[in-house]
CSV table of all heavy atoms in Angstrom, one decimal:
chain,number,residue,atom,x,y,z
A,32,SER,N,-0.1,-8.1,-10.6
A,32,SER,CA,1.3,-8.5,-10.3
A,32,SER,C,2.0,-7.6,-9.3
A,32,SER,O,1.7,-6.4,-9.2
A,32,SER,CB,2.2,-8.8,-11.5
A,32,SER,OG,2.8,-7.6,-11.9
A,33,VAL,N,2.9,-8.1,-8.5
A,33,VAL,CA,3.5,-7.4,-7.4
A,33,VAL,C,4.4,-6.2,-7.9
A,33,VAL,O,4.4,-5.2,-7.3
A,33,VAL,CB,4.4,-8.4,-6.6
A,33,VAL,CG1,5.1,-7.7,-5.5
A,33,VAL,CG2,3.5,-9.5,-6.0
A,34,GLY,N,5.1,-6.4,-9.0
A,34,GLY,CA,5.9,-5.3,-9.6
A,34,GLY,C,7.2,-5.2,-8.8
A,34,GLY,O,7.7,-6.2,-8.2
A,35,GLN,N,7.9,-4.1,-8.9
A,35,GLN,CA,9.2,-3.9,-8.3
A,35,GLN,C,9.1,-3.0,-7.1
A,35,GLN,O,8.8,-1.8,-7.2
A,35,GLN,CB,10.1,-3.2,-9.4
A,35,GLN,CG,10.4,-4.1,-10.6
A,35,GLN,CD,11.1,-5.3,-10.2
A,35,GLN,OE1,12.0,-5.4,-9.4
A,35,GLN,NE2,10.7,-6.4,-10.8
A,36,PRO,N,9.3,-3.6,-5.9
A,36,PRO,CA,9.2,-2.8,-4.7
A,36,PRO,C,10.2,-1.6,-4.6
A,36,PRO,O,9.9,-0.6,-3.9
A,36,PRO,CB,9.5,-3.8,-3.6
A,36,PRO,CG,10.1,-4.9,-4.2
A,36,PRO,CD,9.7,-5.0,-5.6
A,37,MET,N,11.3,-1.6,-5.4
A,37,MET,CA,12.2,-0.5,-5.4
A,37,MET,C,11.6,0.8,-5.9
A,37,MET,O,12.1,1.8,-5.6
A,37,MET,CB,13.5,-0.9,-6.2
A,37,MET,CG,14.3,-2.0,-5.5
A,37,MET,SD,14.6,-1.7,-3.7
A,37,MET,CE,15.8,-0.4,-3.8
A,38,GLN,N,10.5,0.7,-6.7
A,38,GLN,CA,9.8,1.9,-7.1
A,38,GLN,C,9.3,2.6,-5.9
A,38,GLN,O,9.1,3.8,-6.0
A,38,GLN,CB,8.6,1.5,-8.0
A,38,GLN,CG,9.1,1.0,-9.4
A,38,GLN,CD,7.9,0.7,-10.3
A,38,GLN,OE1,7.1,-0.2,-10.0
A,38,GLN,NE2,7.7,1.5,-11.3
A,39,VAL,N,9.0,1.9,-4.9
A,39,VAL,CA,8.5,2.6,-3.6
A,39,VAL,C,9.7,3.0,-2.8
A,39,VAL,O,9.8,4.1,-2.4
A,39,VAL,CB,7.6,1.6,-2.8
A,39,VAL,CG1,7.2,2.2,-1.5
A,39,VAL,CG2,6.4,1.1,-3.6
A,40,ILE,N,10.6,2.0,-2.5
A,40,ILE,CA,11.7,2.2,-1.6
A,40,ILE,C,12.6,3.3,-2.0
A,40,ILE,O,13.2,4.1,-1.2
A,40,ILE,CB,12.4,0.9,-1.3
A,40,ILE,CG1,11.4,-0.1,-0.7
A,40,ILE,CG2,13.7,1.1,-0.5
A,40,ILE,CD1,11.9,-1.5,-0.7
A,41,ASP,N,12.9,3.4,-3.3
A,41,ASP,CA,13.8,4.5,-3.8
A,41,ASP,C,13.3,5.9,-3.6
A,41,ASP,O,14.1,6.8,-3.8
A,41,ASP,CB,14.1,4.2,-5.3
A,41,ASP,CG,15.0,3.0,-5.6
A,41,ASP,OD1,15.6,2.6,-4.6
A,41,ASP,OD2,15.1,2.6,-6.7
A,42,GLN,N,12.1,6.1,-3.2
A,42,GLN,CA,11.6,7.4,-3.0
A,42,GLN,C,12.1,8.1,-1.7
A,42,GLN,O,11.9,9.2,-1.5
A,42,GLN,CB,10.0,7.5,-3.0
A,42,GLN,CG,9.5,7.1,-4.4
A,42,GLN,CD,8.0,7.2,-4.4
A,42,GLN,OE1,7.4,8.3,-4.2
A,42,GLN,NE2,7.3,6.1,-4.5
A,43,PHE,N,12.7,7.2,-0.8
A,43,PHE,CA,13.1,7.7,0.5
A,43,PHE,C,14.6,7.9,0.5
A,43,PHE,O,15.4,7.0,0.4
A,43,PHE,CB,12.7,6.6,1.5
A,43,PHE,CG,11.2,6.4,1.6
A,43,PHE,CD1,10.6,5.3,0.9
A,43,PHE,CD2,10.4,7.3,2.3
A,43,PHE,CE1,9.3,5.1,0.9
A,43,PHE,CE2,9.0,7.1,2.3
A,43,PHE,CZ,8.5,6.0,1.6
A,44,THR,N,15.0,9.2,0.8
A,44,THR,CA,16.4,9.5,0.9
A,44,THR,C,16.9,9.2,2.2
A,44,THR,O,16.2,9.2,3.2
A,44,THR,CB,16.5,11.1,0.6
A,44,THR,OG1,15.9,11.8,1.7
A,44,THR,CG2,16.0,11.5,-0.7
A,45,GLU,N,18.2,8.9,2.3
A,45,GLU,CA,18.8,8.6,3.6
A,45,GLU,C,19.0,9.8,4.4
A,45,GLU,O,19.1,9.7,5.7
A,45,GLU,CB,20.2,7.9,3.3
A,45,GLU,CG,20.0,6.5,2.8
A,45,GLU,CD,21.3,5.7,2.8
A,45,GLU,OE1,22.2,6.0,3.7
A,45,GLU,OE2,21.5,4.8,2.0
A,46,ALA,N,18.9,11.0,3.9
A,46,ALA,CA,19.0,12.2,4.7
A,46,ALA,C,17.8,12.4,5.5
A,46,ALA,O,17.8,12.9,6.6
A,46,ALA,CB,19.2,13.4,3.7
A,47,ASP,N,16.6,12.0,5.0
A,47,ASP,CA,15.3,12.2,5.7
A,47,ASP,C,14.7,11.0,6.4
A,47,ASP,O,13.8,11.1,7.2
A,47,ASP,CB,14.3,12.8,4.8
A,47,ASP,CG,14.7,14.2,4.3
A,47,ASP,OD1,15.3,15.0,5.1
A,47,ASP,OD2,14.5,14.5,3.1
Side-chain angles (χ1 to χ4, degrees):
S32 82
V33 176
Q35 297 297 319
M37 293 311 290
Q38 289 182 294
V39 178
I40 296 166
D41 284 347
Q42 295 183 66
F43 299 98
T44 63
E45 288 192 28
D47 295 320

